[in-house]
Amino acid sequence: MADSSLRDYGAAAPHGPNPSGGHVATANLADMNMSEADVFRSVLLPDDSYDETGTYWADMGILRRAKFVSKVDNAEAMKELKSIGRMMKADPLSPIGYYMRNMVIPGAGLLLEGYVLFSIGNVKPLLQAAFPQCWNSTPAKPGICNPTWIQAIDYLEICGIIVGQVLVGIIGDWLGRRWGLIQDATIMFVGLLMLTAAWGITENGWVICYVWALFFYGIGVGGEYPMTATSGMENAVGSGKVSTRDDRLHRGRKVTSAFLMQGWGQMLNQLILIVLLLIFHSGKQSPPYSKVAAQWTYRVSFAIPAVGTLWLVYYRTYKMRSASKQLAIAKKKQSVTGYDTVALKYTFTYFGPRLFATAASWYANDVFFYGNKLFQSEFISALNPGNKSVMVNWYWNLVNIGVSLCGYYLASFLIDNKLYGRKWMMIVGFIMDFIFFVIPAFNYHYYAEGPGVHSFMAMYFLSSFFNQFGPNSVTFIAAAEVFPTPVRATAHGFSAACGKLGALTAAVLYAYIDVPMRFLVVPWFGLAGALITLVFMPDTTGLDLKEQERRWAFIRSGREHEYHGIAIHSKHLSMWENWRGVGKYYDADADYKQRVEEMRADWEAAMARRAAEKEGHDHDDEDDWSSEVSSFFERTKTNNGKEGGSVMSPYKASEQAPVMDEKSKEL
């Protein structure tokens, strides 16, 4: 009965049918009873990734895969709808509370970052209208303020962000995610106080003070990228030995739901600026704008998020004490303290092409993303020639933000869909942006000044939509997901910094070429981004990240060739990695046997710890073994490491066998 029940629950190879009907794991597996077989199947062959024959979803044919994925997604959607129904029945407002706790609060830093970062561009036209002799100063037409400092507003802000992305990324992997999060919020709070209070004896002194406040605030903003992405993802993965269903099906949605708060920050900023200007400009929308009205509008708009940022400092200090838990577990397994320099070296050795993919694609995207913002005035002037009102520009900006939010949310809904997912979303987004910019490039005057003006505006809005429903959302999650835990924040910060170099490229480039030439230059970054993604970016859609960490453990112990799991499945590798033969060790049968034996080795280690505790030794026991698993391993005990015994876990092997490299040293 036990043997037949095991065969009923799936063939030996979890990635394909078993023609023989026998099980290849170990002879001892024949001793499983029905309940034990159930548990092992739920652990090793979860039904959201494997069908009833034990076939992994990525190994299915196109039609069979589509049917399986649709079945899983539909069942999960019904489950979530029923859960929402139960929540509303108990408390009609509880779904809102759930959304706030799980999406809004994790993305609060990015909400505040989006508010302030894009406020700089929104406030500048108002200051130019109220202080024309200072804020309109250029090298060609210098005013009372130094043109270099006026231009530095765009450059130093981006430089501050780059510093923060690299610096806090390293700190996040060194001291932990929690300290990186607290540091970000503290810097942003102080930066907002500086922006609100910025002044000088002269208007030029005011501009200099304002610019350096932006630089300081930018450091905190930059750190938000690696910290929010890594902490949000690791919170989704969980701390157990086996990944959760939520990680496999909704990890991408969790991270992008936090990221899209950036869009709500932009929307909130624009609405608040409109209301404040109406209040301080006596309800009028048209110029001229007084210096007093402009000063009050811009200063109050920066003071408001300062209150929210102060709350964020409190929340991260006292309510996010476990934010560094996954990193601590990863370091403990490798006996590492401080910064894992060996992990960084191995990242360049084994994941160098991935780092190029995340950094280069983010660079290409930010040329587009910030180019879209810098192009905004051209699009609006095409619709409203001769317009001098700041309010009109702000109203059209609201429309653009609304379109972008639609793209953010659609990305959040589809980023975990195995039939579309991260990689194709990114490629399609890049290509669509390329199309919408290259069309007017070769007939600019027709679209910008002639009868094609409405098509011109439509293409602008659609480029905003596909930028969010594409590379802008995917680069944020991919730059964390494709790297191992010990260097995840560093790799994400480096990739994000390269992205901001793209923004800096756009800002500098646009200062030296006219508008028609910009349209001839920018589209090709979209095409380049699509090609880089196609060739070098792996697709982690549907990949269990604990399986990726398992592969990393084999790499760290010098046994890469002994790893046979789904992290090297061709679906989850890039085209470049497949060409180089990274997936040549993929072996479904060997992997299943290995996973069972690794479970046995970990179980035996857990039993040894419990025995040590009884003898009075102090050990942290976070083992979560079910009674069925323990019962099976107890009945089928072997001498670990001897012939016929268990296959050693890579984590245990790294402790007992010589490692290829010297242990990491604390910085």
Side-chain angles (χ1 to χ4, degrees):
M1 176 66 72
D3 185 43
S4 62
S5 70
L6 181 60
R7 288 197 297 270
D8 289 342
Y9 278 98
H15 316 286
N18 180 12
S20 68
H23 211 285
V24 300
T26 62
N28 286 332
L29 293 182
D31 294 331
M32 280 187 184
N33 58 40
M34 179 74 78
S35 61
E36 290 169 351
D38 277 340
V39 172
F40 271 88
R41 174 168 177 78
S42 67
V43 171
L44 300 179
L45 308 172
D47 60 7
D48 54 79
S49 299
Y50 302 85
D51 68 7
E52 62 278 359
T53 67
T55 306
Y56 185 54
W57 68 269
D59 274 327
M60 301 175 188
I62 297 297
L63 294 179
R64 184 180 172 191
R65 182 188 302 179
K67 183 178 179 181
F68 173 78
V69 170
S70 298
K71 177 184 174 182
V72 171
D73 288 350
N74 291 339
E76 190 68 14
M78 287 301 299
K79 178 182 175 182
E80 290 192 328
L81 287 173
K82 289 178 180 178
S83 177
I84 293 172
R86 288 192 297 269
M87 291 169 67
M88 293 185 68
K89 187 176 180 180
D91 179 356
L93 296 180
S94 59
I96 298 176
Y98 177 87
Y99 182 78
M100 295 293 290
R101 289 191 305 273
N102 292 277
M103 279 72 173
V104 176
I105 291 178
L110 286 169
L111 184 147
L112 292 163
E113 173 263 339
Y115 179 104
V116 178
L117 191 63
F118 292 93
S119 177
I120 309 305
N122 291 334
V123 165
K124 191 173 181 179
L126 176 62
L127 296 176
Q128 287 173 329
F131 301 88
Q133 292 184 322
C134 175
W135 287 80
N136 286 324
S137 181
T138 65
K141 294 182 179 180
I144 62 174
C145 294
N146 190 323
T148 302
W149 284 109
I150 297 296
Q151 293 174 331
I153 291 172
D154 294 325
Y155 304 152
L156 273 183
E157 175 193 10
I158 296 173
C159 290
I161 294 172
I162 292 172
V163 170
Q165 287 166 334
V166 175
L167 179 64
V168 181
I170 293 172
I171 289 174
D173 284 331
W174 182 11
L175 301 179
R177 316 298 191 221
R178 178 170 176 254
W179 293 111
L181 288 164
I182 294 171
Q183 174 186 278
D184 288 341
T186 303
I187 292 174
M188 288 195 296
F189 174 68
V190 175
L192 281 168
L193 294 181
M194 293 168 65
L195 284 168
T196 304
W199 195 241
I201 298 175
T202 63
E203 288 187 27
N204 191 61
W206 167 36
V207 171
I208 293 173
C209 186
Y210 181 78
V211 167
W212 284 112
L214 277 178
F215 176 82
F216 186 82
Y217 182 81
I219 295 174
V221 167
E224 277 301 300
Y225 284 76
M227 290 300 95
T228 301
T230 54
S231 61
M233 183 178 304
E234 289 163 4
N235 177 56
V237 171
S239 59
K241 291 184 179 297
V242 181
S243 66
T244 64
R245 187 182 185 91
D246 191 52
D247 166 45
R248 293 187 296 270
L249 295 180
H250 306 305
R251 183 179 66 245
R253 185 179 70 183
K254 261 197 166 183
V255 177
T256 51
S257 293
F259 181 63
L260 66 81
M261 288 298 112
Q262 184 187 72
W264 281 112
Q266 297 174 43
M267 176 72 78
L268 191 61
N269 170 255
Q270 193 62 88
L271 288 170
I272 287 176
L273 280 174
I274 289 172
V275 171
L276 289 175
L277 187 56
L278 287 173
I279 291 172
F280 296 118
H281 195 48
S282 304
K284 295 182 293 183
Q285 300 186 36
S286 57
Y289 305 105
S290 71
K291 293 182 178 181
V292 173
Q295 287 277 0
W296 275 103
T297 299
Y298 116 78
R299 293 184 189 278
V300 173
S301 73
F302 284 140
I304 291 173
V307 177
T309 309
L310 182 60
W311 173 85
L312 195 62
V313 174
Y314 157 77
Y315 184 85
R316 289 178 172 179
T317 303
Y318 295 101
K319 304 295 183 180
M320 297 186 69
R321 298 181 186 274
S322 61
S324 301
K325 187 174 184 180
Q326 286 298 309
L327 178 65
I329 292 172
K331 286 186 175 183
K332 183 179 179 181
K333 286 177 178 177
Q334 299 298 336
S335 301
V336 171
T337 58
Y339 191 84
D340 196 340
T341 55
V342 173
L344 184 63
K345 182 183 74 174
Y346 275 24
T347 297
F348 283 104
T349 302
Y350 290 93
F351 300 120
R354 295 188 175 196
L355 192 59
F356 169 75
T358 56
S361 61
W362 208 326
Y363 176 89
N365 172 68
D366 272 24
V367 173
F368 255 108
F369 183 63
Y370 285 89
N372 183 292
K373 298 298 178 185
L374 294 171
F375 278 144
Q376 185 168 290
S377 60
E378 277 73 33
F379 285 99
I380 293 173
S381 62
L383 281 180
N384 301 276
N387 170 63
K388 300 294 183 183
S389 173
V390 172
M391 280 291 198
V392 172
N393 290 350
W394 286 355
Y395 290 148
W396 279 112
N397 193 35
L398 270 181
V399 176
N400 189 44
I401 294 170
V403 172
S404 297
L405 275 171
C406 293
Y408 276 117
Y409 273 99
L410 191 57
S412 180
F413 284 127
L414 290 181
I415 200 163
D416 288 311
N417 186 283
K418 298 180 180 71
L419 302 179
Y420 192 58
R422 290 122 163 93
K423 188 168 183 174
W424 280 110
M425 184 182 294
M426 195 166 174
I427 292 172
V428 171
F430 269 129
I431 290 175
M432 295 305 292
D433 278 342
F434 166 73
I435 292 171
F436 290 132
F437 273 76
V438 82
I439 289 175
F442 294 98
N443 201 354
Y444 175 77
H445 295 290
Y446 170 82
Y447 286 103
E449 302 165 3
V453 65
H454 289 95
S455 299
F456 192 52
M457 198 66 189
M459 285 188 285
Y460 172 67
F461 287 140
L462 286 171
S463 71
S464 295
F465 173 83
F466 277 101
N467 186 253
Q468 309 309 333
F469 180 48
N472 199 45
S473 293
V474 180
T475 50
F476 183 77
I477 183 172
E481 228 175 20
V482 301
F483 301 108
T485 300
V487 293
R488 183 168 287 154
T490 301
H492 192 283
F494 174 79
S495 301
C498 289
K500 284 298 172 285
L501 286 176
L504 193 60
T505 300
V508 173
L509 186 64
Y510 295 173
Y512 294 96
I513 59 177
D514 59 16
V515 175
M517 181 57 68
R518 295 175 192 176
F519 277 88
L520 288 170
V521 172
V522 169
W524 307 105
F525 286 94
L527 187 60
L531 291 174
I532 290 168
T533 303
L534 178 66
V535 176
F536 294 103
M537 185 73 77
D539 190 357
T540 49
T541 307
L543 174 63
D544 183 345
L545 281 196
K546 285 194 178 293
E547 189 66 22
Q548 185 162 275
E549 292 302 311
R550 180 170 163 252
R551 179 196 173 198
W552 175 248
F554 276 90
I555 291 173
R556 283 294 299 260
S557 61
R559 302 165 61 215
E560 180 195 14
H561 62 284
E562 295 182 27
Y563 175 77
H564 309 293
I566 58 175
I568 56 172
H569 190 287
S570 59
K571 171 67 179 176
H572 300 306
L573 297 176
S574 68
M575 187 181 293
W576 177 262
E577 288 170 328
N578 279 311
W579 283 343
R580 296 197 64 206
V582 174
K584 65 184 177 182
Y585 298 118
Y586 174 68
D587 187 326
D589 292 352
D591 181 57
Y592 186 71
K593 177 179 180 180
Q594 200 169 48
R595 291 166 74 196
V596 172
E597 295 306 327
E598 286 172 19
M599 285 183 66
R600 182 190 298 278
D602 288 336
W603 175 84
E604 290 174 353
M607 296 306 103
R609 283 194 294 271
R610 290 182 184 178
E613 285 179 349
K614 291 180 180 179
E615 295 176 5
H617 297 289
D618 185 19
H619 288 280
D620 293 328
D621 193 358
E622 296 182 352
D623 304 305
D624 49 1
W625 301 99
S626 69
S627 59
E628 290 84 0
V629 170
S630 294
S631 175
F632 172 73
F633 285 147
E634 184 69 35
R635 289 201 322 274
T636 58
K637 274 185 179 179
T638 59
N639 293 321
N640 191 21
K642 295 183 179 180
E643 185 177 354
S646 300
V647 176
M648 191 174 292
S649 164
Y651 298 122
K652 296 295 290 181
S654 67
E655 295 173 6
Q656 298 180 17
V659 183
M660 292 175 62
D661 54 77
E662 63 178 1
K663 287 187 177 180
S664 302
K665 297 179 180 179
E666 184 174 356
L667 286 180

